Amino acid sequence: MRGGWHPPLWFDVPVGRIRFLHQLVGIPDVHVLRRSAQPGGFSVALTLDPLGVPTRHVTISFARGRPMEPMVNVDGPTDSPHRYSDGTLCMWYPTDPPERRWIHADGAAALVANITAHLIREEWYRKSGEWLGDEVRHGARDPNNDPAIQVPSSLRDNQDVGRADPVLDHARDESAAAGLTDASPDSARSFTRVGRG
Amino acid sequence: MNEPVTDGDGGLVLNRVYYPNLGPDGRGDAPTDVVDDLIEHLRPRIRKVYPRATMHTSKRGPKIYFGQPVGDDDPTVDLVVAMNRKEGPGIWIPNLEKGTWEPSDPEKHVELLNSDSAGFRSTRRKIIRLAKAWNKQYSVPGASSFEVSTWAYEFVEHGQGVAKGLWTLFDKAAGRLEAGTPTGDPAGVSANLKLLIDAATMATRLRKAADHMAKAIASNDENEVAEAMSIVFWTYIDAPATSSLKAAAALLRPNRPVQAAALGIGVAATTGAAYRAYGGRG
């Protein structure tokens, strides 16, 4: 006997699809695509109006080979540091633990919440250049300008509560070391000479 | 924008006669022990007046938290332990992260920034303050205050007003990073300056700020100007066109779960926390 029996995928059975769609009550224009973006898969289209972002038409697809991993396409601008090469959204690092990414058990509503957040992050990035939230970036390093590896400020007293912020400390250090303070770029820190002579 | 009473800075220049082993001009001893000694010397004396004071170190020396806030301010003091250089200008200052001494000429920096006409210096000071305020809006500032000041020193030109000068700073700093060119020490003593984040990200931030400023400078429409500047200085300037997006960004910035309804979506769910966005198309 070739192969063996495989249980149906969650979207092969009506209850799986109905449960997914039921969790999206409240979202406009939710409908199953007759022809999935993934052959033999399952695709749902919907419309989102994230706060501060123009209306976006979203397609969430699940492929037969990867039934638990949503692929999300969105219309509108594609300028983003976090899209896959096919234009789908990259909302989490694929091999991160379950608490740091969406899993099927989290449900369709949570998935849409995270899609919404990602669209807002992209829109904010296009305006300000700031990505809100954690990110994994990769790209060529600039040895002339990229920071050296930073070591956090050390605590000297065991009972102390460390409040040192290594980034801001570093910023103040460089400014301070150069004799320039936030109060006045023209003033110098005062140096006191110690030791006789 | 910049709260002037956040920290105080001071320095001690050690007499080499009493510290012959220290530094490159001595027998090469690292700064770590002398900084430790200074902290041990200062701690009991400071705690006599400020019993909750705590002693830390920063890259350059002792860093003192007094544990006695004044209103919303909780000032700190940074001390730099320095030595005169036998040859060459400036002083040796510690790099406690590497356990080494590095050359620096802070007095030359002040001399350079004070070397122009009073009017130009006044304009440049305002530009520096604005640029620093812009930089500090980000969860992680991209450049040190000194590097921002250096960019102003290098790029701002005579005859420019504050708006044009600030745009010039953003534009030329972005161009430098886009080209992968370093920012050198204006005194010519220290090593090239390094950013606090990767250059590609900082270049993007600067370029977008420059683009928004260019739009504002070119426009005669007050609403357009406000919209553009409300993105450059999102913490300080409001505009109707950007208020919703800024409100959404403010909800997501702390990197905690947010109700979908607060983001404009009618489902009963929250966003995940600490998801790490990936994908390298950007």
Side-chain angles (χ1 to χ4, degrees):
Chain A
M1 183 167 63
R2 279 190 305 186
W5 181 81
H6 297 284
L9 300 176
W10 68 267
F11 51 77
D12 284 335
V13 295
V15 68
R17 295 194 296 272
I18 291 168
R19 184 176 292 135
F20 189 87
L21 294 170
H22 180 70
Q23 292 172 351
L24 299 179
V25 167
I27 302 290
D29 304 330
V30 177
H31 58 278
V32 177
L33 295 180
R34 283 180 178 274
R35 178 175 287 181
S36 170
Q38 300 295 323
F42 177 62
S43 291
V44 175
L46 48 96
T47 300
L48 293 179
D49 282 297
L51 184 63
V53 181
T55 301
R56 298 283 187 243
H57 299 101
V58 176
T59 303
I60 304 170
S61 300
F62 297 90
R64 295 205 69 80
R66 301 167 95 172
M68 299 306 205
E69 296 173 23
M71 289 167 280
V72 181
N73 285 94
V74 185
D75 66 353
T78 58
D79 172 29
S80 168
H82 297 298
R83 296 264 181 129
Y84 287 109
S85 56
D86 61 0
T88 52
L89 307 189
C90 180
M91 296 174 278
W92 50 78
Y93 192 65
T95 55
D96 268 347
E99 59 271 19
R100 295 197 78 173
R101 57 184 173 86
W102 181 86
I103 57 174
H104 190 255
D106 292 336
L111 177 58
V112 166
N114 285 297
I115 292 169
T116 302
H118 196 87
L119 295 177
I120 292 170
R121 290 185 175 110
E122 287 188 334
E123 187 74 7
W124 182 251
Y125 173 83
R126 290 183 198 111
K127 300 271 192 221
S128 71
E130 178 187 28
W131 186 264
L132 299 166
D134 294 341
E135 55 178 338
V136 177
R137 289 183 67 92
H138 42 91
R141 200 176 137 67
D142 177 350
N144 282 331
N145 292 293
D146 280 355
I149 295 170
Q150 295 190 16
V151 176
S153 302
S154 64
L155 284 174
R156 291 315 184 98
D157 298 325
N158 289 336
Q159 293 81 17
D160 293 344
V161 176
R163 287 184 292 133
D165 179 333
V167 173
L168 294 179
D169 282 348
H170 189 128
R172 285 201 283 269
D173 287 345
E174 293 299 326
S175 170
L180 300 168
T181 68
D182 286 346
S184 166
D186 293 347
S187 67
R189 69 167 63 222
S190 58
F191 278 89
T192 301
R193 278 157 173 78
V194 297
R196 287 173 296 163
Chain B
M1 282 187 173
N2 294 317
E3 296 177 10
V5 191
T6 53
D7 56 23
D9 301 316
L12 299 173
V13 181
L14 302 178
N15 187 328
R16 178 184 308 290
V17 171
Y18 298 95
Y19 300 92
N21 295 336
L22 280 180
D25 294 332
R27 291 179 200 143
D29 284 3
T32 318
D33 286 347
V34 72
V35 170
D36 282 350
D37 289 344
L38 180 59
I39 287 174
E40 292 308 312
H41 176 77
L42 290 173
R43 182 189 288 111
R45 289 163 176 80
I46 291 173
R47 283 189 171 166
K48 269 188 190 170
V49 182
Y50 300 97
R52 299 207 313 259
T54 57
M55 310 295 289
H56 300 239
T57 57
S58 65
K59 188 176 175 183
R60 305 295 183 192
K63 184 178 185 74
I64 303 149
Y65 289 84
F66 294 90
Q68 198 159 309
V70 179
D72 291 335
D73 294 321
D74 195 4
T76 59
V77 166
D78 282 292
L79 289 176
V80 174
V81 179
M83 291 188 301
N84 286 321
R85 296 176 73 194
K86 264 189 189 170
E87 291 173 23
I91 53 179
W92 293 110
I93 60 173
N95 183 332
L96 295 179
E97 292 170 6
K98 294 182 183 173
T100 58
W101 296 90
E102 294 174 346
S104 181
D105 197 347
E107 287 168 346
K108 181 68 175 179
H109 299 144
V110 174
E111 180 191 318
L112 290 173
L113 273 176
N114 282 335
S115 61
D116 268 298
S117 65
F120 179 63
R121 288 198 331 258
S122 172
T123 299
R124 189 169 58 196
R125 261 200 300 271
K126 295 181 178 107
I127 292 167
I128 288 173
R129 285 201 175 102
L130 287 168
K132 286 181 181 177
W134 166 83
N135 185 45
K136 287 180 187 175
Q137 293 178 118
Y138 291 89
S139 307
V140 179
S144 68
S145 294
F146 177 45
E147 187 154 11
V148 171
S149 300
T150 300
W151 288 337
Y153 171 74
E154 287 191 57
F155 299 139
V156 175
E157 298 165 20
H158 285 268
Q160 289 183 326
V162 172
K164 190 74 185 291
L166 185 60
W167 168 80
T168 301
L169 186 156
F170 287 144
D171 175 63
K172 294 207 169 170
R176 169 171 289 172
L177 296 182
E178 287 157 356
T181 308
T183 296
D185 172 26
V189 173
S190 302
N192 292 336
L193 306 183
K194 298 290 190 182
L195 295 167
L196 303 181
I197 61 174
D198 65 277
T201 301
M202 187 59 178
T204 300
R205 291 182 183 180
L206 287 161
R207 180 56 63 201
K208 289 189 186 287
D211 289 347
H212 288 302
M213 281 222 65
K215 192 173 172 185
I217 290 169
S219 176
N220 289 324
D221 184 298
E222 198 173 307
N223 291 332
E224 219 173 68
V225 173
E227 180 181 342
M229 295 311 295
S230 74
I231 294 295
V232 180
F233 291 104
W234 69 81
T235 307
Y236 306 105
I237 298 176
D238 293 323
T242 54
S243 59
S244 294
L245 180 60
K246 284 166 56 173
L251 290 170
L252 293 174
R253 186 170 282 112
N255 208 18
R256 289 193 290 266
V258 178
Q259 294 284 342
L263 300 179
I265 303 302
V267 292
T270 56
T271 63
Y275 285 18
R276 295 194 295 164
Y278 184 48
R281 268 188 46 175

